[in-house]
Amino acid sequence: MACSTAAIHRSVLGFQRQIGRKRLSHCSLPAITNLGGGIPRRIRGCHASAHLQPSVVADDPKYGNKQVIAITPRLYDYILTNVREPEILRQLREETASMRGSQMQVSPEQAQLLAMLVQILGAERCIEVGVYTGYSSLAIALVLPESGYLVACERDSKSLEVAKRYYKQAGVSHKVDVKQGLAADALKSLILNGESGSYDFAFVDADKRMNQEYFELLLQLVRTSGVIVIDNVLWHGKVADPLVNDARTVSIRNFNKKIMEDERVSISMVPVGDGITICRKR
């Protein structure tokens, strides 16, 4: 039985109100925001409710109407119940949640993916640009071998105090070399020290306007077949909105375009957390 336009609009608006009642920075639902006139073409199914998740498809019909699930609060809660989060990471996450800037902390499922990439690579030498309170760097350090080495670049001393405390509690302080100050300077110092091509993995979650410079420096430091992961490439969906043109959004949008065209790396943009791009150096 076909759905009426009014019924679909009521379902979608009710669903959006449900989203609005729950704070969830990782939920991006562009497919159900166009309610100005007519039925949003990309919604599939008559029951966009809390019980049945709406799916979205690309505007371009040449993609074959492939349906992709939209992450709702209920579904995201389910995803979180399937994350194997070590107790020490849970404690750090909960402490950070009450701090200023807590939205900068990576999500548990994202940290789990980063740790798995490190394990798949068999990485021993890693770099993180932008540590904050250390959730992602701790997740990486926990899976590194005892001889593993992680360069952690962060300029904020207060957040580093928290990170260092948790490195110590987790017993991984000997694996982490904290570089306090400007990350670009730290990376240039590693290059001048003759460490080019000696790192297996790098993760960037810092000033978005510096992504291109960080990427170029890390491309020198990471070995062939090594991996560089860039965070926040979807920027809360703003990159896809032509009406949003603030400096950070434009910078991320331009970076995404350059990476897409960069033949020095193989890439995969993954909609986990706020979006990450995984780059493998060729």
Side-chain angles (χ1 to χ4, degrees):
M1 181 172 66
C3 297
S4 70
T5 299
I8 290 183
H9 275 250
R10 283 196 300 271
S11 295
V12 172
L13 287 170
F15 182 74
Q16 286 188 316
R17 283 194 292 269
Q18 178 193 356
I19 297 296
R21 287 195 297 266
K22 181 164 183 176
R23 295 175 60 196
L24 184 62
S25 63
H26 304 287
C27 188
S28 177
L29 297 169
I32 61 173
T33 57
N34 181 22
L35 300 174
I39 300 172
R41 189 176 70 80
R42 288 175 289 167
I43 291 181
R44 291 295 180 266
C46 297
H47 305 290
S49 69
H51 300 290
L52 295 177
Q53 313 300 337
S55 57
V56 298
V57 298
D59 278 330
D60 189 342
K62 292 192 289 293
Y63 284 94
N65 290 324
K66 173 63 179 178
Q67 296 186 17
V68 181
I69 195 71
I71 304 297
T72 65
R74 180 181 295 240
L75 182 56
Y76 187 62
D77 285 343
Y78 178 80
I79 291 171
L80 290 176
T81 64
N82 286 277
V83 174
R84 296 177 179 176
E85 183 182 42
E87 175 63 19
I88 190 70
L89 283 177
R90 182 194 64 77
Q91 293 174 15
L92 173 54
R93 171 173 56 79
E94 292 182 355
E95 178 174 337
T96 302
S98 63
M99 295 175 58
R100 181 180 180 182
S102 60
Q103 74 278 2
M104 293 189 292
Q105 180 173 255
V106 303
S107 58
E109 78 280 6
Q110 184 178 353
Q112 180 175 257
L113 176 58
L114 295 174
M116 180 173 284
L117 288 173
V118 167
Q119 291 175 303
I120 290 171
L121 275 172
E124 295 188 3
R125 290 171 60 83
C126 304
I127 300 173
E128 178 167 278
V129 177
V131 173
Y132 187 43
T133 59
Y135 189 89
S136 51
S137 55
L138 180 55
I140 291 169
L142 285 170
V143 299
L144 284 174
E146 278 302 301
S147 59
Y149 179 66
L150 170 63
V151 175
C153 305
E154 174 60 53
R155 63 186 299 178
D156 184 69
S157 59
K158 289 186 178 180
S159 59
L160 270 180
E161 288 175 7
V162 178
K164 289 177 181 178
R165 175 158 48 85
Y166 276 89
Y167 297 153
K168 184 176 181 179
Q169 288 182 28
V172 298
S173 294
H174 62 288
K175 301 180 187 180
V176 185
D177 183 4
V178 174
K179 305 284 189 183
Q180 184 177 349
L182 296 176
D185 291 344
L187 299 179
K188 290 172 184 176
S189 178
L190 295 177
I191 293 170
L192 290 173
N193 196 40
E195 298 182 41
S196 295
S198 69
Y199 289 87
D200 307 297
F201 177 87
F203 176 54
V204 179
D205 184 13
D207 185 349
K208 311 311 168 189
R209 292 166 292 188
M210 293 287 290
N211 275 352
Q212 190 63 45
E213 182 173 356
Y214 294 146
F215 178 76
E216 292 298 335
L217 293 169
L218 290 170
L219 205 57
Q220 296 180 58
L221 288 162
V222 169
R223 63 173 171 83
T224 300
S225 295
V227 168
I228 302 170
V229 178
I230 312 295
D231 197 17
N232 302 112
V233 296
L234 297 181
W235 200 231
H236 318 298
K238 294 178 183 179
V239 290
D241 188 343
L243 299 179
V244 179
N245 290 292
D246 61 275
R248 285 196 179 117
T249 302
V250 170
S251 178
I252 295 169
R253 194 180 286 143
N254 290 340
F255 175 75
N256 290 342
K257 185 176 186 296
K258 288 180 181 179
I259 286 290
M260 181 67 178
E261 299 169 349
D262 197 327
E263 295 297 327
R264 297 172 297 174
V265 290
S266 303
I267 65 167
S268 180
M269 182 180 282
V270 184
V272 62
D274 192 27
I276 62 173
T277 294
I278 303 171
C279 308
R280 177 182 176 273
K281 182 177 176 180
R282 292 177 171 173

